[in-house]
Amino acid sequence: MAIAAQVLIGLILLAHVYFVLLETVLFKTRGRRVFGLTAEKAEIMAPAMSNQGCYNGFLVAALAVGLLHPQPEVARAFVVYGLACIMVAGVWGALTVKKTILFIQTVPAAIALALYLLSH
């Protein structure tokens, strides 16, 4: 179960790397298409989305530290913190933006957290 948790956490980390890129450097091109925005709307939203991408970067950092830190107590704290933040952000996104965010973001993080806690 520990390996399954680590793999799922790694996949969530990679998804959030993609979100960072999509919301920052790729927002006016690929991000615009993914979010279904006109060029004009993307231009207006770009600063706010870049800020959101920055926050996703912090989640990536938390999960990376959690997966790589040699001290188990520190690693655990970062994994739990990172996944909990992703879950909260996913619930908020589902309530305020699009309901499918719950299944894209919150559910995988909840499963990963459950697997992680059961294996540690």
Side-chain angles (χ1 to χ4, degrees), residues 16-27 31 53:
H16 279 77
V17 167
Y18 176 67
F19 300 156
V20 169
L21 294 173
L22 199 60
E23 294 167 349
T24 57
V25 297
L26 301 175
F27 183 70

Side-chain angles (χ1 to χ4, degrees), residues 12-37 41-60 86 89-90 92-94 96-98 101 104-105:
I12 292 167
L13 182 152
L14 291 175
H16 279 77
V17 167
Y18 176 67
F19 300 156
V20 169
L21 294 173
L22 199 60
E23 294 167 349
T24 57
V25 297
L26 301 175
F27 183 70
K28 293 181 186 176
T29 56
R30 178 150 179 80
R32 177 173 79 79
R33 289 189 299 278
V34 168
F35 294 111
L37 302 171
K41 185 77 168 181
E43 191 65 39
I44 293 167
M45 292 181 66
M49 291 303 289
S50 183
N51 186 55
Q52 183 170 311
C54 182
Y55 284 101
N56 274 311
F58 299 143
L59 299 175
V60 167
I86 290 169
W92 187 251
T96 61
V97 179
K98 193 174 181 182
I101 293 172
I104 294 168
Q105 194 166 321

Side-chain angles (χ1 to χ4, degrees), residues 72-94:
E73 312 80 39
V74 173
R76 179 183 172 101
F78 275 96
V79 165
V80 171
Y81 174 77
L83 292 174
C85 286
I86 290 169
M87 289 165 47
V88 170
V91 168
W92 187 251

Side-chain angles (χ1 to χ4, degrees), residues 95-116:
L95 291 171
T96 61
V97 179
K98 193 174 181 182
K99 292 191 185 338
T100 56
I101 293 172
L102 189 71
F103 302 103
I104 294 168
Q105 194 166 321
T106 305
V107 170
I111 293 168
L113 183 58
L115 286 174
Y116 183 82

